[in-house]
Amino acid sequence: MVELKIAQDTIAQENEKRAAALKADFDALGANLDRRGIDIEAITQKVSAFSVAVPSWGVGTGGTRFARFPGTGEPRGIFDKLDDCAVINQLTRATPNVSLHIPWDKMDVRELKAKGDSLGLGFDAMNSNTFSDAPGQAHSYKYGSLSHVDAATRAQAIEHNIECIEIGNALGSKALTVWIGDGSNFPGQSNFTKAFERYLSSMAEVYKALPDDWRIFSEHKMYEPAFYSTIVQDWGTNYLIAQTLGPKAFCLVDLGHHAPNTNIEMIVARLIQFEKLGGFHFNDSKYGDDDLDAGSIDPYRLFLVFNELVDAEHRGVKGFHPAHMIDQSHNVTDPIESLISSANEIRRAYAQALLVDRDALSGYQDANDALMASDTLKRAYRADVEPILAEARRRAGGAIDPVATYRASGYRAAVSAIRPASTGGSGGII
């Protein structure tokens, strides 16, 4: 039996307050969509089937370069993290899988699997960490990991990634995400070509260790922590990596890892076209890699990304099954509330993209009718799909208003009473 962290009575009582209004809104939206030839039931079923993984590290308070201000009731370890992740899924019914980060979440695999099973949670892509040093490791990653000039340091990073595969395989995961902070801070510090050659050679060793049914995702980021040059700095380099490694290698797109105003949706389209889109880390940004809540700054861009995904789904692109995960840092909000909100925003963008009249859009594109093509997208984006999202949650046993229900449950206060308060004033990103 699945352990429920929030009493079902609480969800039922909160839903009862909103049930009549939801029915009225859902029926009204259904009538509106019906006039456009859209079946609201079909959309609701697709939204219900759509899920996004939550990161284990996301349920803790994040930090800036300068300080970290811990919240109350923060998770003490991976089991507390999984409890918090279970709350998000119980209320949203949209996040059944958790993505682990090793070595932060390293634990006896049997205990991890049993804990996940008890909460009704599965395990999504594994994440390795060679961008910071773990206690007791022999070689430091200060000057790089998979691209380090020292062969022993590279071997250590390779071994760590292979260990992540082994842990994930025992947990039922099917993918490994590799992000490295390798690069340089000064011109001349690193030989660009040699560093990339070392990286490709190291990744090839990791690739060999993949089970047959696994995928490996490389993630590009234009800067940070290396500020002059970065090994995997853009999607073009990322694509070269995936092509070089082989058919199990794919590109992962983090929405925050691009320069302001970059046309991310076109990058998505290119990677789909050449069958190398592995998946996403969803978040939002204003200036750089801000790791803000998904949809909090530019919800239209999130919609445009999903427009490309739904277009690929509509066209039946071969082997198209991108992985979806939230990757955010929560500095001033309750992390559970932010992840609930982000899961909802991601589903909202998907639902809106499902409303795009694909035939009309194609016709306007072929006729070079720029205004009507743009308006076709905007019409779908302007639609209030909240009744669909809420009904999908309700039918699956979740909350009509998940944030309000979470607050009514008193979960944060309850865990704060048993989880020791973290000390404040720590410096730097955690």
Side-chain angles (χ1 to χ4, degrees), residues 139 145 148-158 198 202:
H139 306 282
S145 57
H148 201 287
V149 293
D150 177 55
T153 304
R154 296 197 303 274
Q156 176 182 273
I158 293 167
R198 292 192 294 267
S202 297

Side-chain angles (χ1 to χ4, degrees), residues 238-417:
N238 205 351
Y239 176 76
L240 289 174
I241 293 165
Q243 282 289 89
T244 301
L245 291 179
K248 292 185 284 188
F250 295 85
C251 304
L252 188 142
V253 177
D254 184 306
L255 298 190
H257 289 186
H258 302 82
N261 302 318
T262 296
N263 192 332
I264 300 175
E265 56 270 26
M266 188 169 74
I267 294 172
V268 172
R270 291 286 188 270
L271 293 176
I272 291 172
Q273 183 175 0
F274 292 98
E275 300 178 9
K276 281 300 181 182
L277 178 67
F280 293 89
H281 279 182
F282 290 110
N283 50 55
D284 213 335
S285 66
K286 178 68 175 176
Y287 301 106
D289 185 20
D290 307 324
D291 270 345
L292 302 176
D293 291 10
S296 62
I297 300 296
D298 193 350
Y300 191 55
R301 180 175 66 184
L302 183 60
F303 161 76
L304 292 175
V305 167
F306 268 98
N307 176 58
E308 297 302 326
L309 297 179
V310 171
D311 177 68
E313 182 182 302
H314 179 73
R315 290 185 286 114
V317 172
K318 172 180 142 187
F320 182 70
H321 56 106
H324 302 113
M325 194 194 84
I326 302 170
D327 184 14
Q328 303 171 174
S329 178
H330 313 110
N331 303 320
V332 296
T333 60
D334 181 325
I336 291 177
E337 292 187 1
S338 275
L339 288 166
I340 287 172
S341 175
S342 293
N344 193 53
E345 289 306 305
I346 292 164
R347 268 189 166 181
R348 185 190 311 281
Y350 177 56
Q352 290 168 325
L354 289 171
L355 299 183
V356 173
D357 187 333
R358 300 280 152 196
D359 292 337
L361 179 62
S362 179
Y364 292 133
Q365 290 170 341
D366 290 345
N368 294 314
D369 193 333
L371 182 66
M372 290 307 297
S374 177
D375 190 66
T376 300
L377 291 182
K378 287 182 178 179
R379 186 180 186 189
Y381 174 71
R382 288 192 296 258
D384 180 7
V385 296
E386 185 59 37
I388 293 174
L389 308 181
E391 180 63 10
R393 291 191 296 269
R394 186 196 67 80
R395 291 181 184 181
I400 291 175
D401 188 333
V403 171
T405 303
Y406 168 72
R407 293 187 174 189
S409 75
Y411 178 82
R412 180 60 65 188
V415 297
S416 296

Side-chain angles (χ1 to χ4, degrees), residues 13 32 80 140 204 311 382 411:
Q13 290 167 10
N32 179 288
D80 285 352
S140 174
D311 177 68
R382 288 192 296 258
Y411 178 82

